[in-house]
Amino acid sequence: MIARSARLLLCLILPLLAASGQALAHQRSTDGPHTGLAIPEISHGEMIVMAEHRAAIIDLASRATDTDEPFRRVLNYAAIQYAYCFWGKMPGGVTDEVSPFNECSHAYLAATKAVLLKLRDMPRETKAAGAIVSEIDVAMTMRGLSLITCAFSGEAFNTADVIRPHWADIPTHPASMASLTGLAALCFLMVIACRRLLGAKTPKQS
């Protein structure tokens, strides 16, 4: 029983690290940027505040009515990148430059910024978007974040170029490793609990 449980735990952890042997420097897709829309870069300091306002920006964008295809493509890219970054839940994904999730965080937040700037040009959303922009500007000034940069601060993105986490770096990043191991352990315990519950409900044959 113990050996089988250990194998199950390994099966839950290994997929999270399976790509480490095939990791590339930027963990990008191969679709090619020529098929997508360019997204300007975002600085490290800027993305910290942008992450705090992401929910409000996406909520405003989801309610916008006078949208066009480029806007929807960038909004969709922001959602895809957000999912690739484990929905922003990885510790240090936004704030830690050496996090395996920092580059993909740059990608979804750069797309979020592009969405916000587009919203500011929309007649119905311009007031709400302008208010968010002002809040971001004030927060960056008050916290002195405007000049903070990192290795990915000058990196532009493209809607055809998905940025994946740097899987190979996870074992050397304690916070990410601890989070994913904890998640795998939680899944393992849930599987064990479900098996016991189903076993208890199975009627015994005489």
mmCIF file of all heavy atoms in Angstrom, residues 113-147:
data_model
loop_
_atom_site.group_PDB
_atom_site.id
_atom_site.type_symbol
_atom_site.label_atom_id
_atom_site.label_comp_id
_atom_site.label_asym_id
_atom_site.label_seq_id
_atom_site.Cartn_x
_atom_site.Cartn_y
_atom_site.Cartn_z
ATOM 1 N N LYS A 113 -1.613 45.420 -19.343
ATOM 2 C CA LYS A 113 -1.355 46.855 -19.525
ATOM 3 C C LYS A 113 -1.841 47.321 -20.904
ATOM 4 O O LYS A 113 -2.455 48.393 -21.021
ATOM 5 C CB LYS A 113 0.138 47.129 -19.368
ATOM 6 C CG LYS A 113 0.527 48.569 -19.652
ATOM 7 C CD LYS A 113 2.037 48.744 -19.628
ATOM 8 C CE LYS A 113 2.438 50.149 -20.053
ATOM 9 N NZ LYS A 113 3.925 50.309 -20.087
ATOM 10 N N ALA A 114 -1.571 46.520 -21.932
ATOM 11 C CA ALA A 114 -2.020 46.873 -23.281
ATOM 12 C C ALA A 114 -3.541 46.958 -23.341
ATOM 13 O O ALA A 114 -4.107 47.837 -24.009
ATOM 14 C CB ALA A 114 -1.495 45.845 -24.283
ATOM 15 N N VAL A 115 -4.217 46.047 -22.653
ATOM 16 C CA VAL A 115 -5.679 46.071 -22.586
ATOM 17 C C VAL A 115 -6.155 47.362 -21.915
ATOM 18 O O VAL A 115 -7.094 48.021 -22.381
ATOM 19 C CB VAL A 115 -6.203 44.838 -21.822
ATOM 20 C CG1 VAL A 115 -7.687 45.002 -21.464
ATOM 21 C CG2 VAL A 115 -6.013 43.576 -22.665
ATOM 22 N N LEU A 116 -5.503 47.737 -20.810
ATOM 23 C CA LEU A 116 -5.893 48.946 -20.081
ATOM 24 C C LEU A 116 -5.734 50.198 -20.944
ATOM 25 O O LEU A 116 -6.628 51.066 -20.974
ATOM 26 C CB LEU A 116 -5.045 49.075 -18.818
ATOM 27 C CG LEU A 116 -5.240 50.352 -17.993
ATOM 28 C CD1 LEU A 116 -6.684 50.473 -17.512
ATOM 29 C CD2 LEU A 116 -4.273 50.373 -16.812
ATOM 30 N N LEU A 117 -4.621 50.288 -21.653
ATOM 31 C CA LEU A 117 -4.389 51.458 -22.493
ATOM 32 C C LEU A 117 -5.409 51.532 -23.639
ATOM 33 O O LEU A 117 -5.829 52.622 -24.047
ATOM 34 C CB LEU A 117 -2.962 51.437 -23.039
ATOM 35 C CG LEU A 117 -1.861 51.554 -21.971
ATOM 36 C CD1 LEU A 117 -0.488 51.526 -22.625
ATOM 37 C CD2 LEU A 117 -2.046 52.816 -21.137
ATOM 38 N N LYS A 118 -5.803 50.365 -24.132
ATOM 39 C CA LYS A 118 -6.837 50.346 -25.173
ATOM 40 C C LYS A 118 -8.187 50.760 -24.605
ATOM 41 O O LYS A 118 -8.959 51.487 -25.252
ATOM 42 C CB LYS A 118 -6.914 48.942 -25.787
ATOM 43 C CG LYS A 118 -7.971 48.804 -26.880
ATOM 44 C CD LYS A 118 -7.665 49.672 -28.083
ATOM 45 C CE LYS A 118 -8.677 49.456 -29.192
ATOM 46 N NZ LYS A 118 -8.449 50.365 -30.343
ATOM 47 N N LEU A 119 -8.479 50.333 -23.394
ATOM 48 C CA LEU A 119 -9.732 50.705 -22.745
ATOM 49 C C LEU A 119 -9.821 52.220 -22.556
ATOM 50 O O LEU A 119 -10.908 52.806 -22.653
ATOM 51 C CB LEU A 119 -9.851 50.008 -21.378
ATOM 52 C CG LEU A 119 -10.191 48.523 -21.389
ATOM 53 C CD1 LEU A 119 -9.967 47.923 -20.005
ATOM 54 C CD2 LEU A 119 -11.624 48.295 -21.837
ATOM 55 N N ARG A 120 -8.687 52.832 -22.330
ATOM 56 C CA ARG A 120 -8.676 54.285 -22.121
ATOM 57 C C ARG A 120 -9.072 55.043 -23.385
ATOM 58 O O ARG A 120 -9.506 56.197 -23.322
ATOM 59 C CB ARG A 120 -7.283 54.721 -21.656
ATOM 60 C CG ARG A 120 -7.237 56.121 -21.083
ATOM 61 C CD ARG A 120 -5.914 56.419 -20.425
ATOM 62 N NE ARG A 120 -4.789 56.243 -21.339
ATOM 63 C CZ ARG A 120 -3.527 56.580 -21.049
ATOM 64 N NH1 ARG A 120 -3.257 57.093 -19.861
ATOM 65 N NH2 ARG A 120 -2.574 56.383 -21.922
ATOM 66 N N ASP A 121 -8.934 54.373 -24.538
ATOM 67 C CA ASP A 121 -9.309 55.005 -25.811
ATOM 68 C C ASP A 121 -10.749 54.716 -26.214
ATOM 69 O O ASP A 121 -11.218 55.207 -27.244
ATOM 70 C CB ASP A 121 -8.373 54.525 -26.931
ATOM 71 C CG ASP A 121 -6.942 55.000 -26.718
ATOM 72 O OD1 ASP A 121 -6.761 56.047 -26.074
ATOM 73 O OD2 ASP A 121 -6.010 54.312 -27.187
ATOM 74 N N MET A 122 -11.456 53.895 -25.424
ATOM 75 C CA MET A 122 -12.839 53.564 -25.729
ATOM 76 C C MET A 122 -13.781 54.566 -25.064
ATOM 77 O O MET A 122 -13.654 54.813 -23.854
ATOM 78 C CB MET A 122 -13.165 52.141 -25.251
ATOM 79 C CG MET A 122 -12.379 51.055 -25.954
ATOM 80 S SD MET A 122 -12.817 49.405 -25.311
ATOM 81 C CE MET A 122 -11.757 48.361 -26.322
ATOM 82 N N PRO A 123 -14.708 55.136 -25.806
ATOM 83 C CA PRO A 123 -15.579 56.182 -25.262
ATOM 84 C C PRO A 123 -16.312 55.781 -23.978
ATOM 85 O O PRO A 123 -16.379 56.560 -23.022
ATOM 86 C CB PRO A 123 -16.569 56.446 -26.405
ATOM 87 C CG PRO A 123 -15.816 56.052 -27.641
ATOM 88 C CD PRO A 123 -14.976 54.889 -27.237
ATOM 89 N N ARG A 124 -16.843 54.574 -23.928
ATOM 90 C CA ARG A 124 -17.645 54.171 -22.785
ATOM 91 C C ARG A 124 -16.798 53.760 -21.583
ATOM 92 O O ARG A 124 -17.274 53.795 -20.446
ATOM 93 C CB ARG A 124 -18.571 53.024 -23.170
ATOM 94 C CG ARG A 124 -19.606 53.396 -24.227
ATOM 95 C CD ARG A 124 -20.504 52.215 -24.553
ATOM 96 N NE ARG A 124 -21.482 52.561 -25.584
ATOM 97 C CZ ARG A 124 -22.366 51.707 -26.090
ATOM 98 N NH1 ARG A 124 -22.409 50.454 -25.643
ATOM 99 N NH2 ARG A 124 -23.212 52.097 -27.027
ATOM 100 N N GLU A 125 -15.559 53.337 -21.828
ATOM 101 C CA GLU A 125 -14.720 52.837 -20.756
ATOM 102 C C GLU A 125 -13.610 53.807 -20.356
ATOM 103 O O GLU A 125 -12.868 53.544 -19.411
ATOM 104 C CB GLU A 125 -14.084 51.493 -21.158
ATOM 105 C CG GLU A 125 -15.018 50.308 -21.144
ATOM 106 C CD GLU A 125 -15.975 50.309 -22.332
ATOM 107 O OE1 GLU A 125 -15.583 50.794 -23.418
ATOM 108 O OE2 GLU A 125 -17.112 49.838 -22.168
ATOM 109 N N THR A 126 -13.482 54.911 -21.080
ATOM 110 C CA THR A 126 -12.332 55.789 -20.873
ATOM 111 C C THR A 126 -12.258 56.362 -19.459
ATOM 112 O O THR A 126 -11.167 56.483 -18.887
ATOM 113 C CB THR A 126 -12.347 56.938 -21.909
ATOM 114 O OG1 THR A 126 -11.186 57.733 -21.722
ATOM 115 C CG2 THR A 126 -13.601 57.800 -21.762
ATOM 116 N N LYS A 127 -13.398 56.706 -18.866
ATOM 117 C CA LYS A 127 -13.389 57.290 -17.516
ATOM 118 C C LYS A 127 -12.903 56.275 -16.484
ATOM 119 O O LYS A 127 -12.022 56.587 -15.660
ATOM 120 C CB LYS A 127 -14.786 57.783 -17.155
ATOM 121 C CG LYS A 127 -14.836 58.486 -15.813
ATOM 122 C CD LYS A 127 -16.237 59.040 -15.533
ATOM 123 C CE LYS A 127 -16.274 59.751 -14.181
ATOM 124 N NZ LYS A 127 -17.642 60.313 -13.912
ATOM 125 N N ALA A 128 -13.455 55.066 -16.515
ATOM 126 C CA ALA A 128 -13.062 54.031 -15.558
ATOM 127 C C ALA A 128 -11.613 53.611 -15.769
ATOM 128 O O ALA A 128 -10.857 53.421 -14.813
ATOM 129 C CB ALA A 128 -13.981 52.820 -15.683
ATOM 130 N N ALA A 129 -11.211 53.474 -17.042
ATOM 131 C CA ALA A 129 -9.833 53.089 -17.343
ATOM 132 C C ALA A 129 -8.862 54.183 -16.906
ATOM 133 O O ALA A 129 -7.791 53.904 -16.365
ATOM 134 C CB ALA A 129 -9.678 52.812 -18.833
ATOM 135 N N GLY A 130 -9.248 55.445 -17.132
ATOM 136 C CA GLY A 130 -8.403 56.554 -16.714
ATOM 137 C C GLY A 130 -8.209 56.592 -15.210
ATOM 138 O O GLY A 130 -7.118 56.925 -14.723
ATOM 139 N N ALA A 131 -9.242 56.232 -14.476
ATOM 140 C CA ALA A 131 -9.141 56.199 -13.019
ATOM 141 C C ALA A 131 -8.151 55.131 -12.566
ATOM 142 O O ALA A 131 -7.353 55.346 -11.638
ATOM 143 C CB ALA A 131 -10.519 55.940 -12.403
ATOM 144 N N ILE A 132 -8.175 53.983 -13.232
ATOM 145 C CA ILE A 132 -7.239 52.913 -12.892
ATOM 146 C C ILE A 132 -5.805 53.336 -13.225
ATOM 147 O O ILE A 132 -4.873 53.099 -12.443
ATOM 148 C CB ILE A 132 -7.599 51.615 -13.635
ATOM 149 C CG1 ILE A 132 -8.967 51.101 -13.178
ATOM 150 C CG2 ILE A 132 -6.532 50.546 -13.398
ATOM 151 C CD1 ILE A 132 -9.464 49.890 -13.955
ATOM 152 N N VAL A 133 -5.628 53.969 -14.375
ATOM 153 C CA VAL A 133 -4.306 54.451 -14.769
ATOM 154 C C VAL A 133 -3.769 55.438 -13.731
ATOM 155 O O VAL A 133 -2.595 55.381 -13.343
ATOM 156 C CB VAL A 133 -4.351 55.110 -16.160
ATOM 157 C CG1 VAL A 133 -3.029 55.821 -16.458
ATOM 158 C CG2 VAL A 133 -4.627 54.068 -17.231
ATOM 159 N N SER A 134 -4.606 56.322 -13.264
ATOM 160 C CA SER A 134 -4.192 57.303 -12.258
ATOM 161 C C SER A 134 -3.794 56.615 -10.958
ATOM 162 O O SER A 134 -2.792 56.993 -10.324
ATOM 163 C CB SER A 134 -5.338 58.296 -11.991
ATOM 164 O OG SER A 134 -5.637 59.044 -13.151
ATOM 165 N N GLU A 135 -4.573 55.607 -10.554
ATOM 166 C CA GLU A 135 -4.242 54.867 -9.336
ATOM 167 C C GLU A 135 -2.890 54.171 -9.469
ATOM 168 O O GLU A 135 -2.090 54.157 -8.527
ATOM 169 C CB GLU A 135 -5.326 53.836 -9.044
ATOM 170 C CG GLU A 135 -6.653 54.425 -8.603
ATOM 171 C CD GLU A 135 -7.710 53.353 -8.379
ATOM 172 O OE1 GLU A 135 -7.349 52.159 -8.408
ATOM 173 O OE2 GLU A 135 -8.886 53.712 -8.184
ATOM 174 N N ILE A 136 -2.623 53.605 -10.646
ATOM 175 C CA ILE A 136 -1.353 52.924 -10.883
ATOM 176 C C ILE A 136 -0.202 53.917 -10.847
ATOM 177 O O ILE A 136 0.849 53.663 -10.234
ATOM 178 C CB ILE A 136 -1.389 52.173 -12.226
ATOM 179 C CG1 ILE A 136 -2.358 50.988 -12.136
ATOM 180 C CG2 ILE A 136 0.003 51.692 -12.623
ATOM 181 C CD1 ILE A 136 -2.585 50.274 -13.451
ATOM 182 N N ASP A 137 -0.385 55.065 -11.491
ATOM 183 C CA ASP A 137 0.663 56.088 -11.505
ATOM 184 C C ASP A 137 0.989 56.576 -10.090
ATOM 185 O O ASP A 137 2.159 56.726 -9.720
ATOM 186 C CB ASP A 137 0.222 57.272 -12.368
ATOM 187 C CG ASP A 137 0.263 56.965 -13.856
ATOM 188 O OD1 ASP A 137 0.943 55.976 -14.232
ATOM 189 O OD2 ASP A 137 -0.385 57.687 -14.633
ATOM 190 N N VAL A 138 -0.051 56.824 -9.298
ATOM 191 C CA VAL A 138 0.157 57.291 -7.926
ATOM 192 C C VAL A 138 0.868 56.229 -7.096
ATOM 193 O O VAL A 138 1.811 56.532 -6.345
ATOM 194 C CB VAL A 138 -1.196 57.670 -7.278
ATOM 195 C CG1 VAL A 138 -1.022 57.922 -5.776
ATOM 196 C CG2 VAL A 138 -1.782 58.901 -7.947
ATOM 197 N N ALA A 139 0.427 54.971 -7.231
ATOM 198 C CA ALA A 139 1.031 53.882 -6.457
ATOM 199 C C ALA A 139 2.509 53.706 -6.799
ATOM 200 O O ALA A 139 3.348 53.504 -5.916
ATOM 201 C CB ALA A 139 0.275 52.581 -6.704
ATOM 202 N N MET A 140 2.842 53.800 -8.076
ATOM 203 C CA MET A 140 4.239 53.647 -8.493
ATOM 204 C C MET A 140 5.101 54.785 -7.969
ATOM 205 O O MET A 140 6.235 54.577 -7.534
ATOM 206 C CB MET A 140 4.312 53.568 -10.019
ATOM 207 C CG MET A 140 3.774 52.288 -10.602
ATOM 208 S SD MET A 140 4.037 52.173 -12.380
ATOM 209 C CE MET A 140 5.821 52.153 -12.463
ATOM 210 N N THR A 141 4.552 56.000 -7.995
ATOM 211 C CA THR A 141 5.302 57.162 -7.498
ATOM 212 C C THR A 141 5.498 57.091 -5.989
ATOM 213 O O THR A 141 6.609 57.311 -5.480
ATOM 214 C CB THR A 141 4.566 58.460 -7.859
ATOM 215 O OG1 THR A 141 4.413 58.542 -9.273
ATOM 216 C CG2 THR A 141 5.332 59.670 -7.360
ATOM 217 N N MET A 142 4.438 56.757 -5.257
ATOM 218 C CA MET A 142 4.503 56.689 -3.802
ATOM 219 C C MET A 142 5.461 55.603 -3.326
ATOM 220 O O MET A 142 6.133 55.761 -2.310
ATOM 221 C CB MET A 142 3.104 56.431 -3.232
ATOM 222 C CG MET A 142 2.112 57.567 -3.475
ATOM 223 S SD MET A 142 2.509 59.064 -2.539
ATOM 224 C CE MET A 142 2.179 58.506 -0.862
ATOM 225 N N ARG A 143 5.552 54.510 -4.083
ATOM 226 C CA ARG A 143 6.394 53.388 -3.676
ATOM 227 C C ARG A 143 7.740 53.362 -4.385
ATOM 228 O O ARG A 143 8.541 52.455 -4.172
ATOM 229 C CB ARG A 143 5.628 52.080 -3.919
ATOM 230 C CG ARG A 143 4.405 51.975 -3.012
ATOM 231 C CD ARG A 143 3.319 51.054 -3.553
ATOM 232 N NE ARG A 143 3.724 49.693 -3.654
ATOM 233 C CZ ARG A 143 2.924 48.697 -4.049
ATOM 234 N NH1 ARG A 143 1.664 48.975 -4.366
ATOM 235 N NH2 ARG A 143 3.362 47.476 -4.129
ATOM 236 N N GLY A 144 7.984 54.342 -5.238
ATOM 237 C CA GLY A 144 9.266 54.438 -5.918
ATOM 238 C C GLY A 144 9.571 53.258 -6.812
ATOM 239 O O GLY A 144 10.701 52.773 -6.875
ATOM 240 N N LEU A 145 8.566 52.799 -7.552
ATOM 241 C CA LEU A 145 8.726 51.602 -8.370
ATOM 242 C C LEU A 145 9.044 51.900 -9.834
ATOM 243 O O LEU A 145 9.363 50.985 -10.592
ATOM 244 C CB LEU A 145 7.446 50.757 -8.308
ATOM 245 C CG LEU A 145 7.083 50.182 -6.935
ATOM 246 C CD1 LEU A 145 5.711 49.520 -6.993
ATOM 247 C CD2 LEU A 145 8.135 49.182 -6.467
ATOM 248 N N SER A 146 8.964 53.142 -10.232
ATOM 249 C CA SER A 146 9.067 53.471 -11.659
ATOM 250 C C SER A 146 10.404 53.110 -12.272
ATOM 251 O O SER A 146 10.483 52.823 -13.475
ATOM 252 C CB SER A 146 8.784 54.970 -11.870
ATOM 253 O OG SER A 146 9.703 55.746 -11.134
ATOM 254 N N LEU A 147 11.468 53.129 -11.501
ATOM 255 C CA LEU A 147 12.807 52.885 -12.046
ATOM 256 C C LEU A 147 13.305 51.466 -11.790
ATOM 257 O O LEU A 147 14.437 51.137 -12.147
ATOM 258 C CB LEU A 147 13.805 53.899 -11.459
ATOM 259 C CG LEU A 147 13.517 55.372 -11.785
ATOM 260 C CD1 LEU A 147 14.563 56.264 -11.126
ATOM 261 C CD2 LEU A 147 13.496 55.597 -13.284
#
